Amino acid sequence: MKNTFYIIFSLFALTSCEKEIELDLNNQSGNIVIEGNVTNKPGPYTVKITKSVGFSEPNQYPAVTGAQVILSDDTGQTETLQYTGNGIYQTTTFTGQPGRIYTLKVQADGKQYNAQSKMPDVVNFDGLEQSSFKFGDKNTYTLLPLFTDPMPLGNRYLFSFTINDLTKKYMNTFSDNVNNGLANQQPLILPNDDNKGRDHEVIVGDKIHVEMQCIDNNIFTYYSSLLQISGGNGGSATPANPPSNISNGALGYFSAHTTDTQTFVIQPVTP
């Protein structure tokens, strides 16, 4: 599976991951890839099923058609998803709520794949606060997500952001191992084009669109591993499989998470 995300580490990256993870870097070409999400927002929810390609092959992932995809929760709610094309299977009436345990069952190519994910409780995303520092002769901007971590230890977060209308996505994983029960102190560092034009240089007036997800521990491990694989340099294809919560050798993930978004316009630095 190739990494289609572009990723940036925060200043507090050492607090984001719980441990070093051994990763299998063997070529995973031809494997089933399942990417499923259920959120606390109204559906429809989607499950995308494709086949992985080799490390040196183009980013063209064959869609898997004719699969049976069933989504259920621990209250008895269940639905068989409908195929809409391009490997996408979609719900029509299913609803997601925090605190519930969700189960995904996929029957494809003669194999059964199962996954579970518990949607955490909502942690309020209260806004974003800008800071800046000099990096060479340029201003490098940071945004501090404003939220207060709940007191019980074990909360996990995924932050992703895009700039203006660009499709490139940056990601960070946060944990509460250091900052349990306190206001967040881990910033998102915005790119300043310090790597030979591969990043957009954030300037005054840019709109930063930030999504905050409250995720379970398995999904935290998956994305933390994805960050480790990429080496933080973004844009590289990876044949490795981050530790998945899906059974029977499938690549990908199934995530039940809460989500909230905030948009911030970069302001001039006050002398």
Side-chain angles (χ1 to χ4, degrees), residues 4-238:
T4 59
F5 296 120
Y6 293 83
I7 302 166
I8 180 171
F9 285 115
S10 76
L11 287 171
F12 295 87
L14 291 178
T15 68
S16 297
C17 300
E18 294 181 311
K19 62 181 179 179
E20 284 288 309
I21 300 170
E22 295 289 332
L23 297 171
D24 177 12
L25 297 179
N26 293 326
N27 194 304
Q28 300 283 351
S29 177
N31 284 12
I32 286 281
V33 182
I34 299 172
E35 300 166 273
N37 295 279
V38 178
T39 78
N40 61 322
K41 303 297 184 182
Y45 312 118
T46 62
V47 176
K48 185 176 183 179
I49 309 177
T50 57
K51 290 286 186 72
S52 62
V53 297
F55 181 76
S56 59
E57 296 178 33
N59 289 329
Q60 298 176 357
Y61 307 100
V64 174
T65 62
Q68 183 185 60
V69 182
I70 300 174
L71 188 60
S72 61
D73 68 15
D74 56 354
T75 69
Q77 181 181 203
T78 186
E79 183 176 346
T80 299
L81 279 65
Q82 301 300 310
Y83 185 67
T84 62
N86 298 319
I88 301 294
Y89 296 78
Q90 184 171 285
T91 63
T92 55
T93 61
F94 202 88
T95 59
Q97 291 188 19
R100 292 183 180 178
I101 298 173
Y102 294 88
T103 299
L104 176 68
K105 295 183 179 181
V106 174
Q107 183 77 32
D109 290 354
K111 287 187 177 182
Q112 177 81 38
Y113 304 95
N114 301 316
Q116 276 194 341
S117 182
K118 182 177 181 179
M119 188 184 299
D121 291 331
V122 173
V123 176
N124 291 331
F125 188 9
D126 297 322
L128 294 159
E129 185 176 276
Q130 175 183 317
S131 296
S132 66
F133 59 91
K134 282 289 186 181
F135 191 87
D137 60 349
K138 297 179 179 179
N139 283 320
T140 292
Y141 299 96
T142 69
L143 287 179
L144 180 69
L146 302 177
F147 68 94
T148 300
D149 179 75
M151 182 57 69
L153 184 65
N155 295 287
R156 303 290 182 258
Y157 308 96
L158 175 68
F159 282 88
S160 63
F161 66 89
T162 57
I163 303 165
N164 298 326
D165 296 321
L166 303 176
T167 58
K168 188 172 183 178
K169 181 177 287 189
Y170 301 81
M171 302 177 68
N172 298 76
T173 53
F174 289 2
S175 78
D176 64 352
N177 289 356
V178 174
N179 211 41
N180 181 45
L182 301 175
N184 176 53
Q185 299 178 17
Q186 300 181 68
L188 307 171
I189 302 178
L190 308 182
N192 71 347
D193 198 27
D194 62 347
N195 58 356
K196 300 181 181 179
R198 288 178 293 177
D199 276 333
H200 172 85
E201 180 180 355
V202 171
I203 60 174
V204 171
D206 279 347
K207 291 182 179 180
I208 313 301
H209 308 284
V210 180
E211 180 186 12
M212 172 183 175
Q213 295 182 9
C214 298
I215 57 177
D216 70 15
N217 194 63
N218 287 331
I219 299 303
F220 175 83
T221 299
Y222 176 87
Y223 280 107
S224 296
S225 302
L226 197 60
L227 287 164
Q228 181 181 325
I229 293 167
S230 75
N233 57 6
S236 61
T238 172

